[in-house]
Amino acid sequence: MEETDILIGKWRTQSRKGFLDLCVLVLLAGKGPSYGLDMMESLNGAGLGVSEGTLYPLLMRMTREESLAASWTTPDSGHPRKYYRITGQGGYLLSGMKTEYEKNAAAYRRLEGGTR
Amino acid sequence: MEETDILIGKWRTQSRKGFLDLCVLVLLAGKGPSYGLDMMESLNGAGLGVSEGTLYPLLMRMTREESLAASWTTPDSGHPRKYYRITGQGGYLLSGMKTEYEKNAAAYRRLEGGTR
DNA sequence: CATTATATCTTGCATTGCATAATATAATAT
DNA sequence: ATATTATATTATGCAATGCAAGATATAATG
């Protein structure tokens, strides 16, 4: 069904709202500081399809909110990169997000669980 | 942290986008036709906190898109109720959503899985 | 010096969640 | 009768994010 594929595409966009924040925090918490394009590779490698137009505004927003902190580094050879790391507030936020995420997943399983 | 709780609240709203569609479809697929307030009870019983202002517009949208179908019923005693049931397209959509949901969950686990 | 690759930033649209308020009708109370 | 409460649905407007598309800047390469 063609109509339905459009609906799924739109839904996909909506269902990623917020989820990408969680993924970025989890990523940085796990691998340590990183920069935009490198994070894109990691996220895409994990199975998410993220583009610059999605990731960069997200990183800037989270930095503005102080869940991330950024600093430029100019390597001996190569381009200047903006490295992001997770802040204390970011860690607290990540913990809250994980709780919510699990709560929703549990609710979903309950709903799926049965005719009752 | 007070600041952070505000962020979590905002994130919570965002992270539910799309997810509620999935929950409604799963619910109707499991329990059969139902109406607004009854579905609200089911969803809240499962652990989601959903209000009328969230659920009704959602139901109307999904009906407009023909993932749900609605029909009024006037019981012998009580108020007229608008019953919703899942359509063929709704079933196809649900299947697609489940696939996406699992794909994202898998990506999340991979990201969480390690320092690599 | 032009071209390509790396890296980040900007703009505008489409979409949904939710608070708030409105509408309508059946049941109940005074 | 008629006012009040409970049930049930609809309408409006704001805030927020994902993403496509394009712009900007600089290092490396031909």
Side-chain angles (χ1 to χ4, degrees):
Chain A
M1 287 200 187
E2 189 172 359
E3 277 288 330
T4 317
D5 289 341
I6 295 175
L7 287 179
I8 293 182
K10 287 185 181 176
W11 180 82
R12 184 173 175 277
T13 294
Q14 293 303 320
S15 69
R16 285 162 61 124
K17 288 182 191 285
F19 183 65
L20 295 179
D21 296 35
L22 173 57
C23 288
V24 163
L25 286 177
V26 166
L27 175 64
L28 287 179
K31 80 179 276 187
S34 179
Y35 65 99
L37 286 190
D38 186 50
M39 298 177 70
M40 249 187 67
E41 268 186 36
S42 297
L43 294 170
N44 291 335
L48 304 165
V50 184
S51 70
E52 296 93 332
T54 297
L55 185 59
Y56 283 113
L58 185 158
L59 293 172
M60 292 166 69
R61 191 188 80 236
M62 294 185 81
T63 304
R64 192 176 62 239
E65 292 167 354
E66 297 181 340
S67 302
L68 301 181
S71 54
W72 284 97
T73 69
T74 308
D76 293 348
S77 122
H79 289 254
R81 293 168 176 169
K82 201 172 183 176
Y83 272 80
Y84 292 90
R85 62 184 181 286
I86 194 170
T87 63
Q89 179 174 112
Y92 189 81
L93 190 62
L94 173 55
S95 153
M97 286 179 178
K98 276 186 175 178
T99 302
E100 267 292 313
Y101 183 71
E102 284 309 325
K103 209 173 109 189
N104 283 341
Y108 174 69
R109 284 191 296 270
R110 255 176 246 123
L111 288 171
E112 209 185 13
T115 310
R116 68 184 96 135
Chain B
M1 288 199 187
E2 187 173 359
E3 278 287 329
T4 317
D5 289 341
I6 295 175
L7 287 180
I8 293 182
K10 286 184 181 177
W11 179 82
R12 184 174 175 276
T13 294
Q14 293 303 320
S15 70
R16 286 163 59 127
K17 288 182 190 287
F19 183 65
L20 296 180
D21 296 36
L22 172 57
C23 289
V24 163
L25 286 178
V26 166
L27 176 65
L28 288 178
K31 81 180 277 188
S34 180
Y35 65 99
L37 287 189
D38 186 51
M39 297 177 70
M40 249 186 67
E41 270 186 33
S42 297
L43 294 170
N44 291 336
L48 305 166
V50 183
S51 69
E52 295 94 330
T54 297
L55 185 60
Y56 282 112
L58 185 158
L59 293 173
M60 292 167 69
R61 191 188 81 234
M62 294 184 81
T63 304
R64 192 177 61 239
E65 292 168 352
E66 297 181 341
S67 302
L68 302 181
S71 54
W72 284 98
T73 69
T74 308
D76 294 349
S77 124
H79 288 254
R81 294 166 175 171
K82 200 173 184 177
Y83 272 80
Y84 292 91
R85 64 185 179 285
I86 194 170
T87 63
Q89 179 173 111
Y92 188 82
L93 191 62
L94 173 55
S95 153
M97 286 178 177
K98 277 186 175 177
T99 302
E100 267 291 313
Y101 183 71
E102 284 309 326
K103 208 173 110 187
N104 282 341
Y108 174 69
R109 283 191 298 269
R110 257 177 243 123
L111 289 171
E112 208 186 14
T115 310
R116 65 182 100 133

